[in-house]
Amino acid sequence: KAGVTQTPRYLIKTRGQQVTLSCSPISGHRSVSWYQQTPGQGLQFLFEYFSETQRNKGNFPGRFSGRQFSNSRSEMNVSTLELGDSALYLCASSSGDGSTYEQYFGPGTRLTVT
Amino acid sequence: AQKVTQAQTEISVVEKEDVTLDCVYETRDTTYYLFWYKQPPSGELVFLIRRNSFDEQNEISGRYSWNFQKSTSSFNFTITASQVVDSAVYFCALRANTDKLIFGTGTRLQVFP
């Protein structure tokens, strides 16, 4: 089975721009979660989608949003980028229905905001 | 509130030494899951183990072993006969009644030849 894929792997943006990151979960997984990893704050939960619905949300401003499509692929969007948004963004997939509980992570998208 | 504490920021050992990574968690839920993940320099988090709150049996997988003790809210991870390839950041994580993972701050393990 193919693992979780994320595109792009690296991204450089300018303050004020917006960015969209993509995640394709493991085949059959219906839950996709997003995490932000920074040296200062560590790994922080952004949100989780299950069957195209946001099921959980972390403590991030409204500039961070996401969605999930009918094929379980997910995108997250960050608008009006700030320097502090520079981070590794990790996507994780799981079955979401309670049949498995572990989350499998993709390689991440490293976003640099200048 | 839910919290995971990994007090060891960085550990350095010489190859073949045994090393234990500590993890202490807090949760009021009676049903929860604990995980360990490995993050090598490439950045991808690799799932190592899951343990649920009703199963306190220790587990061994090759050179890896895990000690889960509810009485002390700890889920420690031991690597026996460490190897250079074990060098990575290791994260302990907690999941209670949602699919949200709460991560510890991680322990950076450096294994020197």
Side-chain angles (χ1 to χ4, degrees):
Chain A
K1 252 188 189 178
V4 178
T5 58
Q6 291 187 246
T7 57
R9 293 293 311 280
Y10 303 91
L11 208 48
I12 300 176
K13 289 286 188 179
T14 304
R15 228 173 356 172
Q17 287 186 315
Q18 75 165 18
V19 67
T20 299
L21 312 182
S22 180
C23 171
S24 291
I26 291 171
S27 177
H29 282 187
R30 292 159 62 195
S31 169
V32 172
S33 298
W34 289 89
Y35 296 84
Q36 181 197 64
Q37 185 177 24
T38 59
Q41 300 298 318
L43 276 156
Q44 292 189 289
F45 172 77
L46 280 156
F47 28 65
E48 182 224 350
Y49 286 86
F50 177 74
S51 292
E52 301 179 68
T53 301
Q54 186 179 86
R55 195 157 69 169
N56 279 298
K57 190 177 190 305
N59 297 324
F60 278 81
R63 300 185 297 107
F64 291 81
S65 63
R67 59 178 176 168
Q68 186 180 34
F69 302 95
S70 58
N71 62 358
S72 294
R73 190 177 70 83
S74 176
E75 289 181 347
M76 69 162 276
N77 183 278
V78 188
S79 62
T80 320
L81 283 165
E82 300 176 0
L83 295 178
D85 297 332
S86 295
L88 180 66
Y89 290 88
L90 292 162
C91 164
S93 81
S94 66
S95 66
D97 59 5
S99 59
T100 62
Y101 298 97
E102 51 268 29
Q103 294 186 2
Y104 295 91
F105 284 79
T109 294
R110 186 164 296 281
L111 171 66
T112 302
V113 182
T114 62
Chain B
Q2 294 169 6
K3 188 177 176 183
V4 176
T5 301
Q6 294 181 256
Q8 304 151 309
T9 305
E10 187 161 341
I11 301 175
S12 295
V13 299
V14 177
E15 229 177 358
K16 297 184 184 173
E17 280 186 37
D18 298 347
V19 58
T20 295
L21 310 181
D22 298 332
C23 172
V24 173
Y25 63 92
E26 293 175 34
T27 180
R28 291 182 181 174
D29 292 291
T30 54
T31 300
Y32 52 89
Y33 300 87
L34 295 163
F35 304 83
W36 276 95
Y37 283 87
K38 173 182 180 180
Q39 188 174 42
S42 61
E44 185 168 342
L45 280 165
V46 178
F47 166 74
L48 294 177
I49 190 172
R50 179 198 83 215
R51 176 63 78 226
N52 72 50
S53 53
F54 299 109
D55 183 2
E56 282 195 75
Q57 270 193 329
N58 291 332
E59 180 152 342
I60 298 174
S61 176
R63 295 183 298 107
Y64 295 170
S65 63
W66 291 269
N67 184 306
F68 175 32
Q69 291 194 336
K70 285 177 76 171
S71 60
T72 56
S73 297
S74 64
F75 186 42
N76 297 336
F77 173 30
T78 297
I79 301 175
T80 302
S82 59
Q83 299 176 2
V84 172
V85 293
D86 295 327
S87 297
V89 181
Y90 291 86
F91 290 94
C92 180
L94 165 70
R95 173 182 171 243
N97 58 0
T98 70
D99 236 6
K100 168 182 174 180
L101 279 175
I102 308 293
F103 284 92
T105 51
T107 297
R108 180 178 299 278
L109 174 64
Q110 293 198 68
V111 182
F112 293 100

